[in-house]
Amino acid sequence: MKRNYPVGIQNFEKIRSRNYCYIDKTELIYKLVKSGQYYFLSRPRRFGKSLLISTLEAYFQGKKELFEGLAMETLEKEWIEYPILHLDLNTEKYDTPQTLENKLSLNLKMWEDEYGANEYEYSLATRFEGVIRRAAEKWGRNVVILIDEYDKPMLQAIGNETLLTDYRNTLKAFYGVMKSCDRYIKFALLTGVTKFSKVSVFSDLNNLMDISIDERFTSLCGITEEELFTNFQEDIIELGKENKLTEEETKAELKKMYDGYHFAEESEDIYNPFSLLNTFAKMRFGSYWFETGTPTFLVELLKHSRYDLHRLTEEMASADSLGGIDTMHTNPVPILYQSGYLTIKGYDREFQVYYLGFPNKEVEEGFTKFLLPRYAYLETGNPSFEIMSFVKDVRQGDADAFLRRLQSFFADSPYELARDLELHYQNVLFIVFKLLGFYTQAEYHTASGRIDMVVKTDKYIYVMEFKLDGTAEEALQQINDKQYALPFASDSRKLFKVGVNFSKEKRGIEGWIVED
């Protein structure tokens, strides 16, 4: 019998009462509640933050019946109901100062209808303070505060410094109330994608525990491999049948496509929950998470900061830098990590830095395809078509055809890139050959201003050398002089040596020579 998959459903009560499948996170939630009072959790979009908030809300409402059969049922003995202030900032388009004020005021009005208002509480912050105090006094119990997507207004204001400053000031005062109301608060959790360190929640509310990179709670959102195999065994088998794969092949494909997130130094692998649920619901593999968001702003940050795209596969960052994004215009790495496009791949204890990289194929291929038309000129405007044509030329051994296509990618290099042309060339080549690598074997190395490339198909091997303001002959001569082709001497596949020259004056590929 086909199961109900809660795709897009973030309400715990609806999931439990309508028999949707649910991965039991309640043991971790119980641990969270019992081991602290104030928390902040950062996770990428569509990773289960809203469901976590909703689960906590049901728990603090004392709805024991919703937890039947879950770990919480046996762990919790008291089931006490508390007054809850739940603020969801995800459901609004924030484009003016008034928009945020209206959103906060609307929630305050609903709470004031229930707990009373005071005409002398004139600001959003003082009204929030009054609501917290009166709710605790009315119930005779401290208040639970749950704030979902606390940073949504500021994320939408990125690029508009005036509006961003206005939102920062508004939320600084609003969130700062929690510190002065500590004696009235039982529990508080704020979730979001990023950590704006200049907001007082993180600068003044110093008892707020950031569990975003905390090994105890790395699997609070998302699905672990053990959870996947335990809860979706039949689904995996059915998915395999639908896609003509064995069970082991299906598991391997799921891992390659959707696994790979790490939110701490030695955390277990976390699968993307949104992509997994969509895959099982539709019984086919797809780029479900990536296609629900367009990282246009992130690409603009990469270009603005003159970022070398090669670093995406070998990036490093300190724990402190990963926690905030206030330097994003010069260092886009933290927001790439927090947004889910990069994840933790390793840790150097001596220097206390994390190694970062793409989490999985869905993100790596989707992001790289997204980069192509934003760095290269595409005559058709269709990245998929251009890459397909490029791959076919390579597979057919038509070196001149794929080099002409590569030349066209540089046909419209903008004049303002004159001082960064070498970086621009390297970035475009990285994108093109990264995408090519999803369909062939492509090795791409840069060192001391030199670019070496090896591409292998089932019939051909291409050894390529690129020069800037040299000649194609010099590039080919370097391949021969340094014997770049020697490792393939005994290979039965046909080998091409390709020398290519870029010209700053022509802002593109000036010429090439192919020797086979």
Side-chain angles (χ1 to χ4, degrees):
M1 186 176 71
K2 190 169 177 62
R3 301 171 69 184
N4 294 322
Y5 302 98
V7 177
I9 300 175
Q10 302 164 343
N11 182 275
F12 178 73
E13 184 167 359
K14 181 184 289 187
I15 288 174
R16 295 293 291 163
S17 61
R18 298 187 184 181
N19 201 32
Y20 285 98
C21 61
Y22 173 73
I23 306 299
D24 188 0
K25 301 287 186 179
T26 60
E27 184 175 354
L28 271 179
I29 290 173
Y30 182 81
K31 181 179 179 180
L32 184 76
V33 171
K34 298 302 181 182
S35 59
Q37 183 178 354
Y38 294 92
Y39 293 103
F40 168 70
L41 176 67
S42 165
R43 284 295 180 267
R45 59 183 173 81
R46 295 186 176 274
F47 231 86
K49 300 187 297 294
S50 296
L51 177 56
L52 172 63
I53 290 282
S54 179
T55 308
L56 281 162
E57 185 171 28
Y59 167 74
F60 282 114
Q61 287 172 336
K63 294 184 176 180
K64 181 179 179 180
E65 70 280 3
L66 296 178
F67 294 85
E68 184 179 344
L70 302 179
M72 185 72 81
E73 182 184 28
T74 56
L75 291 170
E76 182 56 66
K77 307 300 181 184
E78 298 179 326
W79 293 100
I80 299 171
E81 186 177 1
Y82 294 89
I84 298 171
L85 302 179
H86 180 181
L87 174 62
D88 183 359
L89 293 181
N90 197 40
T91 57
E92 186 61 79
K93 180 182 179 183
Y94 300 96
D95 51 9
T96 67
Q98 197 60 44
T99 311
L100 176 58
E101 290 187 17
N102 289 345
K103 178 68 175 179
L104 296 176
S105 187
L106 176 63
N107 279 269
L108 287 167
K109 181 67 170 63
M110 290 189 297
W111 296 333
E112 287 166 343
D113 287 345
E114 185 171 358
Y115 300 117
N118 186 324
E119 61 180 312
Y120 297 108
E121 294 166 358
Y122 59 92
S123 68
L124 295 170
T126 55
R127 290 171 64 191
F128 189 32
E129 183 178 4
V131 165
I132 294 172
R133 176 175 49 79
R134 286 190 294 272
E137 290 172 349
K138 179 177 179 179
W139 278 74
R141 291 187 187 131
N142 281 2
V143 175
V144 171
I145 299 176
L146 303 172
I147 301 180
D148 198 7
E149 305 289 1
Y150 93 98
D151 55 347
K152 189 66 174 285
M154 291 177 291
L155 283 175
Q156 291 190 0
I158 288 176
N160 183 339
E161 200 57 42
T162 301
L163 188 60
L164 184 58
T165 300
D166 188 281
Y167 286 168
R168 269 198 173 111
N169 291 337
T170 298
L171 292 174
K172 175 171 180 156
F174 189 82
Y175 294 142
V177 165
M178 285 188 284
K179 183 173 184 180
S180 59
C181 288
D182 176 64
R183 62 184 175 139
Y184 299 114
I185 297 174
K186 162 71 176 177
F187 178 89
L189 171 66
L190 288 78
T191 71
V193 172
T194 60
K195 185 175 179 180
F196 287 84
S197 60
K198 292 179 183 177
V199 180
S200 99
V201 130
F202 304 111
S203 57
D204 295 342
L205 193 57
N206 50 23
N207 55 345
L208 186 75
M209 182 180 293
D210 185 352
I211 57 171
S212 305
I213 308 180
D214 188 324
E215 291 186 8
R216 297 174 300 165
F217 301 109
T218 53
S219 61
L220 196 54
C221 295
I223 298 175
T224 67
E225 189 157 271
E226 182 181 356
E227 290 169 338
L228 172 64
F229 294 166
T230 301
N231 292 273
F232 295 98
Q233 181 63 28
E234 294 180 6
D235 311 76
I236 292 170
I237 294 171
E238 183 63 27
L239 177 65
K241 290 179 180 177
E242 289 289 328
N243 291 273
K244 297 180 173 57
L245 299 172
T246 66
E247 181 181 339
E248 290 308 311
E249 288 171 338
T250 306
K251 288 179 177 179
E253 187 67 16
L254 287 169
K255 188 174 188 65
K256 180 174 71 175
M257 286 293 293
Y258 310 126
D259 190 18
Y261 289 93
H262 301 95
F263 300 112
E265 176 185 336
E266 296 180 355
S267 75
E268 56 191 320
D269 284 10
I270 305 293
Y271 286 73
N272 186 311
F274 184 78
S275 290
L276 278 182
L277 291 175
N278 272 278
T279 299
F280 290 133
K282 298 177 181 180
M283 282 293 149
R284 68 177 182 86
F285 297 94
S287 297
Y288 299 109
W289 179 83
F290 188 88
E291 291 170 358
T292 60
T294 53
T296 304
F297 174 71
L298 294 178
V299 176
E300 292 306 312
L301 275 182
L302 292 173
K303 295 171 80 171
H304 179 268
S305 63
R306 300 167 62 195
Y307 186 82
D308 182 350
L309 296 179
H310 298 84
R311 288 167 52 193
L312 289 172
T313 59
E314 51 185 18
E315 189 55 84
M316 293 187 296
S318 66
D320 289 343
S321 70
L322 285 183
I325 66 167
D326 296 296
T327 60
M328 64 185 168
H329 291 290
T330 55
N331 178 20
V333 174
I335 195 168
L336 283 168
Y337 166 76
Q338 293 173 18
S339 301
Y341 295 95
L342 295 179
T343 195
I344 294 171
K345 291 293 186 180
Y347 184 67
D348 188 311
R349 290 183 179 274
E350 181 181 2
F351 296 100
Q352 296 185 331
V353 295
Y354 290 104
Y355 296 106
L356 306 176
F358 291 112
N360 51 50
K361 184 182 178 182
E362 176 189 12
V363 176
E364 184 174 19
E365 186 171 6
F367 192 61
T368 311
K369 278 185 177 177
F370 191 82
L371 288 172
L372 182 61
R374 285 149 185 86
Y375 277 83
Y377 171 75
L378 304 185
E379 187 176 349
T380 64
N382 186 334
S384 296
F385 173 80
E386 297 287 349
I387 290 299
M388 180 181 70
S389 302
F390 195 82
V391 170
K392 284 183 177 180
D393 291 338
V394 171
R395 285 177 175 170
Q396 291 167 5
D398 195 340
D400 283 320
F402 86 70
L403 285 163
R404 282 194 299 272
R405 192 172 301 279
L406 182 62
Q407 185 182 44
S408 73
F409 291 159
F410 298 93
D412 197 29
S413 297
Y415 281 105
E416 60 265 26
L417 283 175
R419 67 192 177 100
D420 282 332
L421 269 180
E422 186 168 6
L423 176 62
H424 176 62
Y425 296 156
Q426 291 188 359
N427 280 341
V428 174
L429 287 172
F430 171 80
I431 296 167
V432 170
F433 285 90
K434 189 71 176 170
L435 288 171
L436 184 62
F438 292 119
Y439 307 97
T440 67
Q441 288 180 279
E443 302 166 18
Y444 183 31
H445 309 284
T446 62
S448 304
R450 173 172 56 81
I451 305 172
D452 293 330
M453 190 164 316
V454 176
V455 177
K456 304 172 188 175
T457 71
D458 60 339
K459 296 179 180 178
Y460 305 100
I461 297 176
Y462 302 84
V463 177
M464 306 176 71
E465 176 65 25
F466 295 85
K467 290 291 184 184
L468 178 62
D469 282 338
T471 66
E473 289 80 4
E474 290 173 352
L476 185 62
Q477 188 64 43
Q478 183 168 324
I479 293 174
N480 289 322
D481 289 348
K482 297 198 174 183
Q483 298 184 315
Y484 291 160
L486 187 61
F488 313 106
S490 61
D491 199 295
S492 61
R493 287 172 286 187
K494 185 174 182 178
L495 186 140
F496 294 96
K497 302 174 187 176
V498 183
V500 181
N501 184 57
F502 285 95
S503 167
K504 284 185 178 178
E505 182 181 352
K506 294 185 177 181
R507 304 191 344 270
I509 293 178
E510 181 182 47
W512 61 81
I513 295 177
V514 179
E515 182 182 291
D516 60 60

